[in-house]
Amino acid sequence: MNARVLRIELKRSVAPWAGAAVLTTTLGFLLLLKGTLGNGTTAWTAQWTAMALWIRGLLVYLWPLAVGLGALQGLRDHRSKISELLATTPRPARHRAAVLVGATAATLASAFALLIVVGGVQVLANTEYTHLGWLPISLVGALALVAGAVLGMGTARALPSVLTPPLLAIGAFAFTVLMQISLGQTQTATASGFPVAEPNQLSLLSPAVQDVRDTLTTLSASVHIGQTIWLLGMAVTGFALLVVARPRTRLLALTPVLAGAAVALLVLPTDPDRMFVIDKAAAEPVCDGPVCVTRTQQGRLDDVAGPGKKALSLLHTALGGRAPVSVRENDTVLQEGTTPKWSGRTVPLDFDDGGVVAAKGGQELTWVLIGKGMVPGCSPVGWSVTGGEDVARTVAVGWVLGDLKSLPDVAEAARRHVDGEARPLWKKFRALPPAQQRARIDAMRTAALSCKGDALAALTGGASR
């Protein structure tokens, strides 16, 4: 297939429209609805891996679109009523199919590449951490679009009906949705008893991926390999259906997609911890003395180093030998619904924490880090709760600083509520003898670090649960 033949095919086919539809639809999601595509460090323009995963996530809508448009393209000869005429020409059917598939593959791959370029330009402006770990995620996504379109073409050639394109698109959409809400999910419970849904092996047959929850998680190599095998089998079946004409041969053409699915299920991991794995290079610490962040956030180290060191100094003055000795960005990825466990020797840093996001200047960030060193927080992963821990944290920071401070928070109403609860408690606490204050602070930290007690109850002298 030379360039001239390809240009002619692009002019007489729906391939350019397929690429334009994928490009404009995705840009609409990414640009107009960007507030729903992650926030903070997991926004689609924040990191390379997050960008690739968010675009792959949109394949839940784009892949059915590619399948349907491919089926529409596959009906072209039938609509023109020239199928029998083409069958009498000496040119092999595989040559005509290659031109058709090549034009569609070129436009869809180009549209997907342009999406990556749009996202990549914005990511370059937001992070100093560059890597190629996002590339396999994107390449498999592009392959999924091409394979879906080719399968749609072949199916429409085998089942020439005006109903074939819409039915295929609806079926593909139902497949991707079911993989994300039921068929591809397994209900489990965390050690704390919280029910959670985890992706199972079947979910990996969908070209789309789950929402991005953190910046350190990526798809494993076995997932890339298994999905590539499955998608290549799909593409081969679609191409075979474009070429063959006899009913029995068409049944044999289904062999590649079935064999691809079987081999893929042997390769794809069954354990969720082996599906989504920690990117060790991204999680590598970058430090300025006792203050460390992951490599993904290395550009923000200068902003947190000074406040972090100041927070450690104040904590040491207040707590002595029991004080934390370092500030580290949390690089442990826990299952959603899991109750965290903390070390009293480290102040956890989370750039998506409401206090860190809302902190204006180094002084407020110092207060936030002191609070995290005193009461790190025991809310299950993925939950956001405003309550006793926030009140205890505010009073604890006041004890370290010698004066009650209003800690920053993204939600202004939540901050006012915590301040209103903390103010009378602070007055009662400051009226206690210094030794009793220290005893209650120690009891509060014990409960807060173990996540097995009630930090506020310990601070007020009540019994921990």
Side-chain angles (χ1 to χ4, degrees):
M1 179 176 61
N2 56 41
R4 178 174 175 274
V5 173
L6 181 60
R7 286 197 301 270
I8 294 173
E9 182 62 31
L10 288 173
K11 291 179 180 179
R12 64 193 292 266
S13 72
V14 300
W17 297 104
V22 168
L23 180 62
T24 56
T25 302
T26 308
L27 287 178
F29 276 109
L30 294 177
L31 300 180
L32 300 179
L33 303 177
K34 62 181 180 179
T36 65
L37 300 179
N39 295 292
T41 61
T42 59
W44 82 280
T45 57
Q47 297 290 338
W48 289 99
T49 300
M51 178 201 68
L53 288 174
W54 276 119
I55 294 178
R56 276 286 299 276
L58 290 178
L59 289 184
V60 69
Y61 308 109
L62 298 179
W63 188 69
L65 178 63
V67 173
L69 289 172
L72 185 63
Q73 176 73 5
L75 287 178
R76 184 181 63 184
D77 294 345
H78 176 74
R79 292 196 310 269
S80 303
K81 299 180 180 180
I82 60 173
S83 299
E84 294 182 2
L85 175 62
L86 292 175
T88 63
T89 61
R91 189 181 185 188
R94 63 179 180 274
H95 289 182
R96 296 194 302 272
V99 173
L100 185 65
V101 169
T104 303
T107 55
L108 289 176
S110 298
F112 199 83
L114 285 174
L115 293 174
I116 299 299
V117 171
V118 171
V121 169
Q122 298 178 78
V123 171
L124 282 174
N126 291 329
T127 182
E128 295 182 3
Y129 177 59
T130 58
H131 61 100
L132 294 178
W134 57 272
L135 190 57
I137 302 172
S138 299
L139 289 176
V140 173
L143 176 60
L145 286 178
V146 173
V150 175
L151 182 65
M153 292 180 202
T155 304
R157 180 68 61 85
L159 302 172
S161 169
V162 294
L163 297 178
T164 300
L167 289 178
L168 279 180
I170 293 172
F173 179 68
F175 172 76
T176 56
V177 171
L178 288 175
M179 285 300 175
Q180 293 206 352
I181 65 174
S182 59
L183 294 179
Q185 301 293 311
T186 300
Q187 297 294 326
T188 60
T190 66
S192 304
F194 293 102
V196 294
E198 291 184 330
N200 58 35
Q201 192 182 36
L202 285 178
S203 69
L204 299 178
L205 294 179
S206 170
V209 297
Q210 302 294 323
D211 293 344
V212 183
R213 296 177 182 174
D214 58 78
T215 60
L216 303 180
T217 302
T218 187
L219 293 172
S220 65
S222 57
V223 171
H224 298 318
I225 295 171
Q227 290 180 334
T228 299
I229 293 172
W230 155 240
L231 293 171
L232 287 176
M234 184 186 300
V236 171
T237 288
F239 188 83
L241 290 173
L242 278 173
V243 173
V244 301
R246 298 178 180 179
R248 180 177 298 180
T249 313
R250 285 173 178 169
L251 289 176
L252 290 176
L254 299 177
T255 302
V257 70
L258 296 177
V263 175
L265 289 175
L266 293 175
V267 175
L268 294 171
T270 57
D271 184 356
D273 291 336
R274 293 176 55 230
M275 298 176 189
F276 295 89
V277 297
I278 298 296
D279 185 340
K280 294 182 179 179
E284 183 180 344
V286 179
C287 301
D288 182 347
V291 181
C292 298
V293 299
T294 62
R295 189 165 294 280
T296 59
Q297 303 298 330
Q298 61 188 19
R300 304 176 69 174
L301 179 58
D302 292 341
D303 296 331
V304 301
K309 294 174 183 177
K310 180 65 173 179
L312 291 175
S313 176
L314 292 171
L315 285 168
H316 179 74
T317 300
L319 298 174
R322 298 190 62 188
V325 295
S326 64
V327 176
R328 295 182 67 91
E329 183 183 357
N330 189 16
D331 59 1
T332 302
V333 178
L334 299 176
Q335 180 187 36
E336 186 175 7
T338 302
T339 301
K341 295 182 180 179
W342 305 107
S343 166
R345 307 300 289 171
T346 301
V347 176
L349 172 62
D350 181 0
F351 286 104
D352 288 325
D353 178 79
V356 175
V357 173
K360 298 177 181 178
Q363 185 180 58
E364 288 193 353
L365 183 56
T366 297
W367 298 348
V368 172
L369 293 175
I370 291 173
K372 288 298 180 180
M374 299 295 284
V375 184
C378 292
S379 298
V381 175
W383 294 32
S384 180
V385 180
T386 300
E389 283 185 347
D390 299 287
V391 177
R393 184 179 297 117
T394 300
V395 174
V397 173
W399 178 77
V400 172
L401 298 175
D403 186 22
L404 188 67
K405 301 295 183 181
S406 178
L407 300 185
D409 195 296
V410 173
E412 183 68 18
R415 185 188 62 79
R416 290 198 301 267
H417 170 74
V418 171
D419 289 348
E421 295 288 329
R423 203 168 293 113
L425 178 58
W426 168 252
K427 293 180 180 178
K428 294 180 181 179
F429 180 78
R430 292 297 287 174
L432 298 173
Q436 193 172 352
Q437 291 183 28
R438 177 58 188 265
R440 291 194 178 185
I441 288 291
D442 290 342
M444 178 206 69
R445 286 199 78 220
T446 299
L449 293 174
S450 66
C451 290
K452 294 181 179 179
D454 189 323
L456 183 59
L459 187 65
T460 57
S464 298
R465 293 196 299 263

